[in-house]
Amino acid sequence: MRTVIHRIVLIFCSLYLVSCYKDIDLEKFRPAPKVVINSVITTDTVVLASVTRTWFFTENIPDVNLKNAKVELYVDNIFRENMVWQEKKDTEGNVSGCFVSSVVPREGEVVKIVVTSEYGMAYVEDKIPMSTDINLVEMTAKKESNPDDVRITVEPDGEVVVEQIKYYVIHYRVTFQDTPGQKNYYFIYIDEGPMREWTYGSFDFSIDPIYDNHQTVLDGVLGFDDGGGSGCVFSDEKIEGRQYTFTVKESLDEMYVNMQEEEGEDKYKRRILLYSLSESYYRYLVALEKIYGGSVSGSLSDIGLAEPVKVYSNVCGGVGVLGACQRAEKVVDIRNLIETTD
């Protein structure tokens, strides 16, 4: 009797579970495609723009480039030219491209891009910000180790070797003058010079007090951040009109310093980059940092416990962003600093 009851219960459960499934026609939720404009303008090169359209995930990654679109370029509301589609292939044969102009914008100019295509008309504009120079870069170094930080290797004869990892800890102090009387936005970053955009060291930008300038209250209370290793986007809210010195820490494994002798002098080069950003570019980068940088607000939205973080867009009639920036840089050499620290 008990076996019969169990079977009846299983039948009813299976019928109940089947009723939980429903076929949904996703195509009826497909939105109308929109024009997408993405561009970053600087005084270092001609104006370039990626012009595409939005696509629905059921389209299986189509070619979304709007190669036949009419793309007009204006500077300070004066028409300059129609931008031209330029295509290129990478070494694997993948095709990409963008619209190219012959115009190099200047500081203070307002650049506007107007796109007309089968998906409608969209436009976007932004102003080239004033540049901010790096006045001074000072560096100090010392050697540190952590008892819990060890490296374990196995020798050819099977012997296990445990050694304590030692680091060169280098502090960079980057001084610049904020322009008074206006809102200014910055991004600071360090790499190993023009030939490489990565380094054997790990950088920590979060040690500077201005690092949490744009983080949410929730992020600050819970102490949730990405470790400060990806550069720092900040405004002049806390330093209005003053000279400021931003501090960055690099931890450089002693082993890598000793191993990379074949790279010669280049391995000791560091390029300090200070970008002056337009407000639009700043707001876009802050939004990306919240989504990808590991903030609490971004992480909670991933699991449905907070409002989704909206990616900033300044495109009218479409989506995307036109950002503007200028870059200041100084290349420094840490070789003498490291050698005198040994």
Side-chain angles (χ1 to χ4, degrees):
M1 181 67 180
R2 181 173 298 177
T3 302
V4 173
I5 293 175
H6 285 169
R7 288 178 178 174
I8 294 173
V9 170
L10 287 173
I11 291 172
F12 275 104
C13 287
S14 63
L15 292 174
Y16 176 77
L17 292 174
V18 168
S19 68
C20 293
Y21 292 91
K22 180 180 179 181
D23 290 331
I24 299 175
D25 181 12
L26 294 176
E27 287 302 312
K28 71 179 182 180
F29 296 102
R30 181 197 290 262
K34 293 183 178 181
V35 174
V36 181
I37 307 172
N38 285 305
S39 178
V40 177
I41 52 176
T42 75
T43 57
D44 297 329
T45 186
V46 296
V47 177
L48 308 171
S50 167
V51 179
T52 60
R53 66 167 176 88
T54 56
W55 57 280
F56 201 53
F57 73 98
T58 58
E59 293 184 69
N60 195 27
I61 315 181
D63 181 6
V64 294
N65 290 301
L66 302 183
K67 306 175 185 178
N68 298 319
K70 181 181 180 181
V71 182
E72 301 169 281
L73 177 64
Y74 295 80
V75 177
D76 289 340
N77 284 323
I78 299 173
F79 174 75
R80 297 292 296 272
E81 63 183 32
N82 287 317
M83 299 177 68
V84 179
W85 170 258
Q86 190 173 95
E87 197 168 272
K88 64 178 181 179
K89 290 185 179 180
D90 61 21
T91 54
E92 298 179 355
N94 299 315
V95 178
S96 62
C98 65
F99 283 87
V100 181
S101 77
S102 62
V103 175
V104 178
R106 295 177 295 183
E107 182 176 280
E109 291 183 332
V110 177
V111 174
K112 182 178 182 180
I113 298 173
V114 181
V115 175
T116 306
S117 74
E118 59 185 298
Y119 302 104
M121 190 270 283
Y123 68 91
V124 62
E125 64 180 19
D126 203 4
K127 183 178 181 179
I128 302 286
M130 294 178 60
S131 62
T132 301
D133 292 329
I134 297 173
N135 297 333
L136 180 66
V137 177
E138 299 174 292
M139 301 174 293
T140 57
K142 60 180 179 179
K143 191 177 287 188
E144 291 183 357
S145 61
N146 185 330
D148 299 325
D149 201 354
V150 298
R151 182 182 295 109
I152 301 175
T153 57
V154 180
E155 298 293 331
D157 60 0
E159 180 185 0
V160 177
V161 178
V162 179
E163 61 178 332
Q164 194 172 65
I165 300 176
K166 296 181 180 180
Y167 296 93
Y168 293 101
V169 177
I170 305 167
H171 283 85
Y172 301 86
R173 289 181 292 278
V174 184
T175 301
F176 63 94
Q177 174 66 52
D178 179 64
T179 303
Q182 63 182 38
K183 291 296 295 180
N184 299 297
Y185 307 92
Y186 304 100
F187 175 66
I188 189 168
Y189 185 73
I190 300 178
D191 66 22
E192 278 192 333
M195 302 305 296
R196 294 198 301 269
E197 293 186 354
W198 56 279
T199 175
Y200 292 108
S202 61
F203 294 95
D204 184 0
F205 293 80
S206 67
I207 68 170
D208 193 277
I210 212 169
Y211 179 77
D212 65 351
N213 178 274
H214 55 76
Q215 293 184 345
T216 66
V217 173
L218 184 59
D219 294 333
V221 170
L222 298 183
F224 198 104
D225 61 63
D226 67 350
S230 304
C232 179
V233 182
F234 60 99
S235 74
D236 68 348
E237 180 181 351
K238 295 180 179 179
I239 61 171
E240 161 59 29
R242 296 190 288 113
Q243 186 179 82
Y244 188 75
T245 299
F246 194 101
T247 303
V248 184
K249 182 177 77 172
E250 178 184 8
S251 298
L252 184 61
D253 192 329
E254 181 185 40
M255 181 187 73
Y256 287 119
V257 174
N258 296 331
M259 284 177 57
Q260 304 304 320
E261 290 299 333
E262 68 276 8
E263 294 188 19
E265 300 295 327
D266 284 346
K267 71 173 180 177
Y268 297 106
K269 298 291 178 62
R270 298 292 184 270
R271 184 171 59 162
I272 318 294
L273 301 169
L274 179 64
Y275 292 85
S276 300
L277 310 176
S278 64
E279 182 178 0
S280 295
Y281 202 13
Y282 168 79
R283 293 177 64 180
Y284 174 73
L285 292 176
V286 167
L288 289 187
E289 195 171 74
K290 287 183 180 296
I291 295 172
Y292 300 113
S295 68
V296 166
S297 51
S299 299
L300 290 180
S301 69
D302 289 343
I303 57 176
L305 297 180
E307 289 294 322
V309 178
K310 184 178 180 180
V311 177
Y312 174 79
S313 172
N314 58 348
V315 177
C316 296
V319 293
V321 67
L322 172 62
C325 67
Q326 292 209 67
R327 185 181 73 189
E329 68 175 71
K330 280 190 181 295
V331 177
V332 296
D333 193 314
I334 63 172
R335 178 170 190 143
N336 291 337
L337 196 64
I338 286 178
E339 291 179 345
T340 55
T341 303
D342 286 333

